[in-house]
Amino acid sequence: QVQLAESGGGVVQAGGSLRLSCAASGRTFSSYAMGWFRQAPGKEREFVAAISRGPGSPYYTYYADSVKGRFTISRDNAKMTVYLQMNSLKPEDTAVYFCAASSRSDVPVKMVGYDVWGQGTQVTVSS
């Protein structure tokens, strides 16, 4: 089973950008679909983006409507890392961001589809 560690969070002004990274260790990273979720204070954890597994492109990607066109998920299997590039950030994007790994053959967009979770990284967008 993989272990996951997120990094790249921080404080940014509205309209700015951040890139989150999720480094994996353990078993074969390429065999896992990967997802990003977020949880704002007082709210439930929600889906942000996901990317299919596989040895190489093309990868299939999925996004929540709230981030479509602003966020981009990508992966580098050689580095065992998945990224979330976040542009045009808004105050409502403020949350703890979690990456997750799924051993399923499809690409889950719900939490229940993921087997392994990272510890999260805080993203704060100031207005």
Side-chain angles (χ1 to χ4, degrees), residues 2 4 6 13 19 24 26 31-32 36 40 44 53 55 59 63 67 72 78 83 87 100-102 113 122 126:
V2 295
L4 305 173
E6 303 95 334
Q13 289 190 330
R19 188 177 80 157
S31 66
Y32 288 86
W36 284 97
E44 294 186 350
R53 66 180 187 176
Y59 294 111
Y63 297 94
V67 307
T72 302
Y83 304 97
N87 299 328
S102 173
Q122 176 70 48
S126 61

Side-chain angles (χ1 to χ4, degrees), residues 61-106:
T61 57
Y62 303 85
Y63 297 94
D65 288 343
S66 59
V67 307
K68 203 170 294 184
R70 300 188 298 123
F71 291 11
T72 302
I73 188 171
S74 62
R75 66 188 298 160
D76 185 334
N77 288 340
K79 295 182 178 179
M80 297 180 65
T81 300
V82 64
Y83 304 97
L84 186 68
Q85 177 67 43
M86 305 186 296
N87 299 328
S88 302
L89 282 162
K90 305 175 180 180
E92 52 263 43
D93 294 318
T94 295
V96 177
Y97 283 71
F98 299 88
C99 72
S102 173
S103 58
R104 289 171 42 162
S105 58
D106 61 348

Side-chain angles (χ1 to χ4, degrees), residues 1-18:
Q1 195 174 33
V2 295
Q3 293 82 44
L4 305 173
E6 303 95 334
S7 62
V11 180
V12 63
Q13 289 190 330
S17 298
L18 280 176

Side-chain angles (χ1 to χ4, degrees), residues 27-68:
R27 292 183 62 185
T28 307
F29 174 72
S30 62
S31 66
Y32 288 86
M34 300 297 296
W36 284 97
F37 289 75
R38 67 186 181 186
Q39 187 166 17
K43 294 188 177 181
E44 294 186 350
R45 195 171 298 188
E46 65 176 4
F47 171 75
V48 175
I51 188 167
S52 58
R53 66 180 187 176
S57 61
Y59 294 111
Y60 297 98
T61 57
Y62 303 85
Y63 297 94
D65 288 343
S66 59
V67 307
K68 203 170 294 184

